[in-house]
Amino acid sequence: MFLDSDLLMSALRALTPILLAALGGALCERAGVFNIGLEGMMLMGCFTAVATSWFTGSPWLGVLAAALAAAAYSLILAVGAVTLRGDAVVLGVAMNLLAVGLTSFLLRTVFGVQGTFDDPSLAGLPLVGGFSPLAYLAWAAVGVSALLLSRHVWGLRLRGVGEAPDAAATLGVSPARYKYAAVLVSGVLCGLAGAQLALGNVTLFSENMTAGRGWIAVVAVMLGRALPLGVLLAALLFGLAEAAGFRLQGLGMPQQATDAAPYVVTLVALFLSTAQRRRRTARTTGNARTTGVAP
């Protein structure tokens, strides 16, 4: 049977890194910073988690180091986009490219290998009920971020900074401070996503092992409209696509075809979402014209 509990478990494991990174991207989006550097932050988290876990023997120190390293790496976006008012898209692309080259260089320098570092002594995260503790943290983060953005004064101010920064400034709220905080939190979440990918889903590091998951997280933010629940549903969709790809590969389909499954789903979801928004906009405009009210 194709659809079974094992497929669901695999999908839930696959969605965890995407969900953590997408929640970070959603916070940035709410603060008015379009963060497409999620891929690079995740990749830095992957390498730091593996390197720290291997040198210390503690996967939890690896998780902590991954969160701190990705947060420090996110400062490139914070300083460039917020302080220097640079283009966030250009900075994000540059961060992704830099992370690929930097981690490949460090892989050769630190471990003396090329391609993949896989050592039996590398300690991975423990499993609780079939999932790593970071998976439960990701699910809890959905509820926490939803309450934060809708109920807590910090979340309300963050939304205000993203929607009307000048108005927020007149009320004594510092837009730069909240934007910095959102970017740094996104860095922490991306670091945790990288640690989950490298020490939870597998126990190794390979060059460019994020393989586009950061970009999928960006799409999840867009599909979920930067709402925590919407981001969760989008991440679940991509997790199911990845798990289905692995299942089809086990049934004999070519690896190239199954590896493309999450990205095909991403393109289809983007197309359907864009078409739906255009229909909604056209319907609103038509109703406004009919009633004689400006849209």
Side-chain angles (χ1 to χ4, degrees), residues 89-159:
V89 174
V90 175
L91 286 167
V93 171
M95 290 173 65
N96 294 335
L97 295 175
L98 175 62
V100 173
L102 183 59
T103 52
S104 297
F105 170 76
L106 290 174
L107 181 64
R108 294 169 175 80
T109 303
V110 176
F111 298 112
V113 299
Q114 184 174 352
T116 301
F117 173 74
D118 184 8
D119 192 286
S121 63
L122 179 62
L125 291 170
L127 297 181
V128 180
F131 302 100
S132 79
L134 291 182
Y136 298 103
L137 177 64
W139 303 336
V142 175
V144 171
S145 58
L147 289 174
L148 180 70
L149 291 171
S150 62
R151 302 287 183 180
H152 197 274
V153 63
W154 189 89
L156 296 175
R157 288 178 177 175
L158 183 75
R159 291 168 54 187

Side-chain angles (χ1 to χ4, degrees), residues 9-284:
M9 292 283 285
S10 179
L12 292 176
R13 284 191 291 269
L15 78 83
T16 301
I18 297 174
L19 177 58
L20 285 168
L23 287 173
L27 287 177
C28 287
E29 184 72 17
R30 286 305 186 95
V33 179
F34 186 42
N35 187 353
I36 65 171
L38 304 177
E39 177 91 356
M41 297 179 196
M42 284 180 64
L43 192 56
M44 293 298 294
C46 288
F47 179 83
T48 306
V50 168
T52 304
S53 178
W54 188 72
F55 280 112
T56 65
S58 170
W60 295 113
L61 287 178
V63 170
L64 177 61
L68 294 176
Y73 194 65
S74 71
L75 285 173
I76 297 175
L77 177 63
V79 174
V82 180
T83 302
L84 302 180
R85 300 184 181 276
D87 191 314
V89 174
V90 175
L91 286 167
V93 171
M95 290 173 65
N96 294 335
L97 295 175
L98 175 62
V100 173
L102 183 59
T103 52
S104 297
F105 170 76
L106 290 174
L107 181 64
R108 294 169 175 80
T109 303
V110 176
F111 298 112
V113 299
Q114 184 174 352
T116 301
F117 173 74
D118 184 8
D119 192 286
S121 63
L122 179 62
L125 291 170
L127 297 181
V128 180
F131 302 100
S132 79
L134 291 182
Y136 298 103
L137 177 64
W139 303 336
V142 175
V144 171
S145 58
L147 289 174
L148 180 70
L149 291 171
S150 62
R151 302 287 183 180
H152 197 274
V153 63
W154 189 89
L156 296 175
R157 288 178 177 175
L158 183 75
R159 291 168 54 187
V161 164
E163 295 170 5
D166 293 335
T170 60
L171 296 176
V173 176
S174 172
R177 183 179 302 172
Y178 278 84
K179 289 176 185 289
Y180 261 83
V183 174
L184 286 173
V185 171
S186 75
V188 170
L189 290 173
C190 285
L192 295 177
Q196 167 64 25
L197 184 60
L199 297 179
N201 290 7
V202 294
T203 311
L204 55 85
F205 178 82
S206 62
E207 295 182 17
N208 198 23
M209 70 178 298
T210 48
R213 288 177 177 84
W215 292 104
I216 292 178
V218 173
V219 176
V221 174
M222 298 169 63
L223 292 179
R225 299 188 178 184
L227 298 172
L229 181 58
V231 167
L232 171 62
L233 294 177
L236 179 60
L237 173 65
F238 300 132
L240 285 170
E242 183 173 336
F246 287 129
R247 177 64 61 87
L248 291 172
Q249 184 177 337
L251 296 176
M253 284 194 66
Q255 180 181 354
Q256 293 81 359
T258 57
D259 287 347
Y263 310 106
V264 172
V265 170
T266 300
L267 291 174
V268 172
L270 272 177
F271 174 79
L272 294 176
S273 176
T274 303
Q276 182 181 9
R277 291 181 185 180
R278 287 182 176 177
R279 285 197 300 267
R280 188 182 297 113
T281 301
R283 190 181 304 116
T284 302

